[in-house]
Amino acid sequence: MIEEYADRVWRGESDDSIVDAGLAGSGVHPIADGLGWWQGFGNVICLATEGELILFDTSSPLSAAKLHEDVRSWSRAPLTTAFYSHGHIDHVFGVGPFEEQGPRATVYAHEAVGDRFRRYVLTNGYNAVINRRQFQADNLRWPAEYRHPDVTYRDALTVRRGGLTFELTHAKGETDDATVGYVPEHRLLLPGDLFIWVTPNCGNPQKVQRYPREWVHALRRMAAMDAEIMLPSHGAPIFGRDRIRQALLETAEWLESLVTQTLDLLNAGARLDEIVHAVRPPAHLADRPYLRARYDEPEFVVRNLWRLYGGWYDGNPATLKPAPDAVLAAAVAELTGGPGALADAALKALSGGDERLAGHLAEMAALAAPDDPGVHRVRAEVFGTRAANERSLMARGIFAWAAAESGKRS
């Protein structure tokens, strides 16, 4: 039963999150009468009621066909309504197969979703590059066409379909276009990506602005909704009012601690470098299965807060109008005895356990001698080691990509 599985995840005995979709590929799981849960990279909540099919989130381009097949095994009712929790591509691409075989559905979303889709078209190449790097997907192609919502709202909207009530409220957190759904008939909370069974995706180094402080407020508002079932758009269900409140309120506490520490140091005039290395999440929450830094990381959240409140200048006057990276690297290499000496120093730092310093030295060596196979062998070793030792998908992806770049040139 899905309740038993969810209990194992809650106790930390099974992994199920945005990083580990434990039941992906297993079809639609019954949650309650007329309520089903489909897991992929981007979960879909399915409601069959009074001859209608309603979806909250619709998964990704890669999953659309499988979603359609699995949902049709669960319900043959025509899709009349879909809700986007936000505009990320793993939530908005599953409507097409249903509409090809049936009527056009009415899609609801926050008004900023359309702006996101237009930005994705403007930055299509960039989004392809950064997502290849983040997910180690060399052949990833970023979509250029999107199924826009039919009905949008600004602050809140109530929709009645098939005898059910969908109370939609806007939130900012991972995105500026998030929708939280609540279905009172099921006491069902639909948080989208505002809860993903790992620490909040609130500092992604390659993506646009996130909103940590507003995310805290959204988590607390959701905790007050008195839900008995929470079906996130990534990760396992949570059953029971007490567990739902605990997960949401402790996630809010974790994130608010980073916000408070960062703003205190920023207001005291500290440089970004000092803040990044000083701020730490609450130690008493370190054992929570839903607060593991396996996708994003606390120091990335700190950087995102700085970007939001402090701009891009990091407090170091040398970086305000810096020399090109390659020029700086060449000067340092000359001072230290050449790129080979930098590469040797990188290996020494790596063997001594200082992977951060090793990364700086290896990158400088490669910038100073971009065609030197020996230097690239060192760079590949340094960043390959860093990737192997990282727990977060984002850091692991960037380091592995760097190692692969040099591996091709060594």
Side-chain angles (χ1 to χ4, degrees):
M1 291 177 60
I2 193 66
E3 290 86 352
E4 295 173 355
Y5 175 75
D7 187 57
R8 292 199 304 274
V9 175
W10 178 265
R11 295 196 304 267
E13 297 170 3
S14 296
D15 287 336
D16 197 330
S17 68
I18 193 170
V19 179
D20 306 284
L23 294 179
S26 59
V28 177
H29 294 266
I31 301 294
D33 186 29
L35 173 62
W37 174 77
W38 182 92
Q39 187 171 55
F41 188 75
N43 300 340
V44 179
I45 293 81
C46 313
L47 300 107
T49 173
E50 297 186 358
E52 299 184 42
L53 174 66
I54 300 169
L55 302 180
F56 189 91
D57 276 338
T58 67
S59 202
S60 74
L62 298 177
S63 303
K66 178 62 173 170
L67 170 69
H68 180 259
E69 176 186 347
D70 289 344
V71 171
R72 281 290 167 246
S73 296
W74 179 73
S75 172
R76 303 301 299 179
L79 177 67
T80 64
T81 310
F83 301 94
Y84 295 160
S85 70
H86 60 297
H88 282 166
I89 68 167
D90 51 324
H91 301 266
V92 300
F93 269 91
V95 173
F98 292 94
E99 294 186 327
E100 289 170 7
Q101 298 184 9
R104 181 178 174 86
T106 300
V107 176
Y108 295 82
H110 185 260
E111 63 182 11
V113 166
D115 292 335
R116 173 180 299 279
F117 291 166
R118 286 182 281 274
R119 175 169 59 80
Y120 280 165
V121 173
L122 288 172
T123 58
N124 182 274
Y126 175 72
N127 277 287
V129 168
I130 62 175
N131 282 280
R132 287 171 194 160
R133 187 185 297 132
Q134 179 167 313
F135 296 107
Q136 298 295 290
D138 290 349
N139 297 319
L140 184 148
R141 297 290 181 268
W142 197 253
E145 296 182 0
Y146 297 86
R147 171 61 162 89
H148 282 251
D150 302 292
V151 180
T152 62
Y153 74 100
R154 178 164 297 174
D155 298 316
L157 179 68
T158 298
V159 178
R160 289 280 300 173
R161 290 301 307 230
L164 295 176
T165 308
F166 296 85
E167 298 174 357
L168 311 178
T169 55
H170 174 232
K172 294 174 73 173
E174 180 186 21
T175 67
D176 62 357
D177 59 358
T179 289
V180 173
Y182 184 69
V183 184
E185 291 84 359
H186 287 291
R187 294 184 69 182
L188 169 65
L189 175 62
L190 304 171
D193 278 10
L194 292 165
F195 184 86
I196 53 176
W197 274 101
V198 291
T199 57
N201 179 16
C202 211
N204 191 319
Q206 302 184 92
K207 304 294 177 69
V208 298
Q209 186 67 57
R210 271 75 165 120
Y211 304 92
R213 188 165 173 268
E214 292 84 351
W215 199 330
V216 170
H217 298 159
L219 288 161
R220 289 183 172 142
R221 287 198 306 270
M222 289 190 292
M225 289 180 179
D226 205 32
E228 286 290 344
I229 304 170
M230 182 167 77
L231 299 180
S233 291
H234 293 284
I238 298 180
F239 296 96
R241 176 182 181 274
D242 291 343
R243 284 187 174 182
I244 292 169
R245 283 178 53 81
Q246 178 183 329
L248 294 173
L249 292 176
E250 288 187 341
T251 301
E253 179 186 355
W254 185 95
L255 188 53
E256 186 175 51
S257 174
L258 300 186
V259 173
T260 300
Q261 292 177 68
T262 300
L263 288 177
D264 284 348
L265 288 167
L266 186 150
N267 285 323
R271 291 185 180 189
L272 175 59
D273 177 71
E274 177 185 345
I275 299 174
V276 164
H277 293 98
V279 173
R280 295 289 182 271
H284 70 278
L285 298 176
D287 65 343
R288 302 299 194 265
Y290 42 84
L291 288 176
R292 298 166 297 171
R294 297 195 55 212
Y295 192 56
D296 208 333
E297 295 195 37
E299 67 182 87
F300 299 162
V301 178
V302 170
R303 290 184 180 277
N304 196 32
L305 282 159
W306 179 281
R307 176 173 65 174
L308 178 62
Y309 294 114
W312 60 264
Y313 174 54
D314 63 5
N316 180 349
T319 64
L320 181 66
K321 298 184 73 174
D325 287 347
V327 171
L328 176 61
V332 172
E334 183 178 357
L335 290 170
T336 59
L342 279 176
D344 290 343
L347 290 177
K348 182 178 179 180
L350 187 67
S351 65
D354 194 340
E355 294 185 8
R356 292 183 183 238
L357 178 59
H360 285 293
L361 297 172
E363 188 66 15
M364 279 192 171
L367 288 169
D371 298 320
D372 186 324
V375 165
H376 277 288
R377 279 194 293 274
V378 171
R379 183 175 183 263
E381 180 178 348
V382 167
F383 286 109
T385 300
R386 296 208 70 180
N389 291 340
E390 289 292 337
R391 296 185 68 236
S392 81
L393 183 145
M394 292 174 192
R396 192 164 61 246
I398 290 173
F399 292 149
W401 191 268
E405 286 177 329
S406 283
K408 296 173 184 175
R409 304 177 70 176
S410 61

